[in-house]
Amino acid sequence: MNRLEDPSATLLIDGEWLAGDSTFEVVNPATLEVIGRVADAGPGQARTALDAAARAAGTWRSVDAETRSGRLRAAADAIRAEVESLATLLTAENGKPLAEARGEVLSCARMLEWAAEEGRRANGRVTPPGPNGPGLVVRAPVGPVLAITPWNFPATMVVRKVGLALAAGSPVIVKPAEQTPMIAAAIIRLINYTGLPAGVLQLLTTSRPAEVAGALLADARLRKVSFTGSTEVGLGLVRATGSQLRRMSLELGGHAPAVVFADADLETAAAGVVQAKFTNAGQSCVAINRLYVHRGVHDEFVAQLVRKVAGLKVGHGTEPGVTIGPLIDSDALAKVEKHVEDAISRGASVVTGGRRATPDRPDLKGAFFQPTILTGVDDSMLISAEETFGPVLPVFAVDDDEEALARANATEYGLAAYVFGTDFTRLWQALDRLNFGVIGVNEPMPLRPELPFGGMKNSGQEREGGSEGIEAYLETKAVAIRL
Ligand code: NAD
């Protein structure tokens, strides 16, 4: 069989698609069926990839920005042309509803277009003359990048890093999550087919992330790590850096608060909260994890939420009308059940949901959970302190804006926050007070290519997207000139 036709040839190393010595299984989280086997890279292949990236760094940085930009535009077009097959694969691997998968794939194209545009604007500057002459600020590609990505948005997380790294002139080695390597391989094939030189874009699918990342982190030629995933693993990567400083972008866990002010349009706000909570079955770093509602409108707002949640349907992501797919695995289900049981044992009430869901199809053996609303939640409960990463919405009643904002900020995390209301001054004061990198004001989906994305505190550092995104892939040289 031609290696390009071998679906397990998922290692892209130095321009060649390779099958590797061993493979690991990929499972559909809705049915638990094995849907494929992919190559299982080890540390040796990681070192070979870094050798190739180091060789390619010089080639790629000398390619003119317009040509690099053209490759990324071509990749965006190729992804748009394949939206249905990519979305179907994404749903099979991750479980999310097909409509969400389509949206994610189209976001990939938009992100590549944004990166293509930003790459052409990665300008330096000339400073006004000093006593002896002018100064220059020169921007240079950071050098070989390792991109480590999670399973929850397995297409966009790959593309966001790859697009910016390539646009800035750096080669990139992608290590996708072990749950979702096939969509990463499919997307990287499309980007690579645009004619990238060998070693510029590489892929290491592996079931041994620590070993593969460790081999790369040990080598000073790796100049940047861009990691999206849990805070625990992200902090571990910082510690693993040891005596070798390098640039690090970290997009880590969130624990997003949402505040509903008493003057909010309750029906619109409820629709927004439900979207921001239950998209991707709540398995999103920007999912609402704590909802603070003014006591005066609490009961009416909860009633609105219950009506909206009644319209959600749990099941297989390809089934028409399904809005909530499975959780990624049984560990994820165990965490969700633990948070719900703990909250109930400490006095919370289940308004709707609260249990494992059993969709009406015998082949659906995955970990499904009912969309759940809890009231009477307080700060003694696990759910008030930890990211649930599932379809559970805990509602906290608050007496005033001050209490809502203080409690929203009382967390080690600082990724996303939401405010719903109508009074402009109140909303402005709230977004000024909230210590979060991404804020939705009456906007449940605050992610746009034009806006920088990233967190404060233990949610991360550096930004992806916006004009700030490409900065994370550029070094700065200050040049003082004596005339
Ligand atoms: P995870 O940290 O377990 O895994 C993320 C990636 O890290 C995967 O590719 C995994 O293989 C790899 N990895 C795991 N251990 C490693 C190690 N020791 N060395 C190197 N790589 C290692 O996270 P997850 O469960 O896949 O994703 C969920 C988490 O990601 C949540 O906390 C979520 O909030 C976060 N997340 C953050 C963002 C963001 O932009 N801030 C976006 C999506 C997800």
Side-chain angles (χ1 to χ4, degrees), residues 149 151-152 175 178 227-230 251-253 285 387 453:
T149 57
W151 50 264
N152 62 344
K175 197 230 67 68
E178 45 276 39
F227 171 80
T228 300
S230 59
E251 304 289 352
L252 309 179
C285 53
E387 193 181 28
F453 181 85

Side-chain angles (χ1 to χ4, degrees), residues 64-74 112 115-117 119-120:
D64 66 279
E66 189 175 353
T67 302
R68 291 201 298 248
S69 173
R71 299 279 191 276
L72 294 173
R73 282 179 189 287
L112 285 169
E117 290 158 14
R120 298 192 66 190

Side-chain angles (χ1 to χ4, degrees), residues 164-380:
L164 290 168
L166 296 184
S170 291
V172 55
I173 301 170
V174 178
K175 197 230 67 68
E178 45 276 39
Q179 296 89 340
T180 52
M182 286 160 59
I183 184 71
I187 282 187
I188 284 179
R189 273 181 202 279
L190 292 176
I191 301 176
N192 196 53
Y193 279 159
T194 62
L196 299 179
V200 168
L201 177 58
Q202 302 186 89
L203 175 65
L204 297 171
T205 53
T206 181
S207 67
R208 294 170 281 164
E211 285 175 51
V212 165
L216 296 168
L217 287 165
D219 192 319
R221 292 175 301 169
L222 184 76
R223 296 311 315 144
K224 166 145 188 118
V225 177
S226 180
F227 171 80
T228 300
S230 59
T231 296
E232 188 191 351
V233 173
L235 291 177
L237 290 174
V238 173
R239 284 191 290 272
T241 295
S243 60
Q244 179 56 60
L245 271 187
R246 58 169 64 85
R247 301 277 296 279
M248 277 214 168
S249 290
L250 300 170
E251 304 289 352
L252 309 179
H255 187 36
V259 177
V260 177
F261 290 128
D263 60 24
D265 174 327
L266 296 187
E267 191 176 355
T268 313
V273 166
V274 167
Q275 188 180 1
K277 170 74 249 185
F278 295 103
T279 295
N280 206 16
Q283 303 172 110
S284 159
C285 53
V286 295
I288 295 174
N289 218 56
R290 300 170 288 143
L291 176 63
Y292 299 101
V293 183
H294 202 285
R295 213 173 285 283
V297 296
H298 175 276
D299 293 355
E300 195 186 339
F301 191 64
V302 170
Q304 290 274 8
L305 289 173
V306 170
R307 273 197 284 280
K308 304 279 180 217
V309 167
L312 301 177
K313 184 176 172 199
V314 178
H316 195 292
T318 56
E319 213 174 288
V322 163
T323 47
I324 299 196
L327 297 171
I328 193 71
D329 56 26
S330 55
D331 286 350
L333 176 68
K335 185 174 190 193
V336 169
E337 286 180 328
K338 185 171 149 197
H339 278 194
V340 171
E341 280 160 21
D342 170 80
I344 293 169
S345 74
R346 292 169 193 272
S349 304
V350 176
V351 183
T352 183
R355 284 195 304 278
R356 200 176 168 157
T358 42
D360 196 15
R361 256 176 63 172
D363 61 323
L364 298 187
K365 300 190 171 71
F368 294 88
F369 201 83
Q370 297 172 336
T372 297
I373 300 175
L374 302 174
T375 53
V377 184
D378 66 40
D379 290 346
S380 72

